Amino acid sequence: MDIQINDLSKSFGDKVIFKDFSFRFEDGVTTVISGESGCGKTTLLRIIAGLDRDYKGKISPDKFTVSVAFQEPRLFPGATVWENLAPFDKNGRAEELLIKLGIGKESFDILPDELSGGMARRVSLARAILKDADVYLFDEPFAGLDAENAENTAKIIKEYCEGKTCIAVTHNKELAEVFAHKFLYL
């Protein structure tokens, strides 16, 4: 599904983040957003996700579903790794995806506070990928990952998001080139 941003204006106090910004995120295309810190990358994701409604302009269509992997992992604290993914695993892909992301079966029964930061990020990313949605949003999916896990994660995003409308924010251009079709520099 295409996501069309028309004449978006957004400020935080006196700081203008967007002024009459327009862009079309194409159906089935993975677009990577990059730019300097504070330029509005995460703000744009929050607006698309419907988490920030304090802006002027129009997002079309009016309704669509999103799946988000935030900058910081947001896992259900009292649920194991497996329990965090199970509600979103409609096609039986969770086990395979976790293993591809380097999360072995021995970790499936672990609670989030027992995971390393990188493992928690990968579980959070797996949950976002598994959810059935119109649009997938990834905010700094490689933060806190070592080079090997980051490269593997980029390949996983490419594999599992092929043909889906995906928007990712990252500063890592080399990894973005692994899975991106288009780039937007803010």
Side-chain angles (χ1 to χ4, degrees), residues 7 20 22 26 28 89 107 118 149 153 157:
D7 301 319
D20 300 324
S22 295
E26 297 174 44
D89 188 20
S107 300
N149 277 310
T153 298
I157 291 172

Side-chain angles (χ1 to χ4, degrees), residues 4-94:
Q4 180 67 46
I5 312 286
N6 289 313
D7 301 319
L8 176 67
S9 293
K10 170 71 179 173
S11 298
F12 290 107
D14 292 337
K15 182 173 173 145
V16 175
I17 305 296
F18 295 105
K19 182 166 175 52
D20 300 324
F21 173 77
S22 295
F23 190 82
R24 182 171 61 98
F25 294 97
E26 297 174 44
D27 181 35
V29 171
T30 298
T31 304
V32 167
I33 303 171
S34 61
E36 300 297 320
S37 294
C39 72
K41 300 178 300 290
T42 296
T43 299
L44 184 57
L45 287 188
R46 291 182 52 78
I47 289 170
I48 293 168
L51 299 172
D52 184 341
R53 298 184 188 276
D54 184 25
Y55 62 87
K56 292 180 182 170
K58 175 113 175 97
I59 312 269
S60 304
D62 291 332
K63 292 186 179 185
F64 53 90
T65 58
V66 296
S67 183
V68 182
F70 295 95
Q71 281 187 31
E72 63 287 331
R74 295 189 182 176
L75 299 172
F76 304 121
T80 65
V81 165
W82 189 255
E83 291 166 340
N84 264 280
L85 271 59
F88 306 101
D89 188 20
K90 304 299 183 207
N91 298 316
R93 301 180 309 157

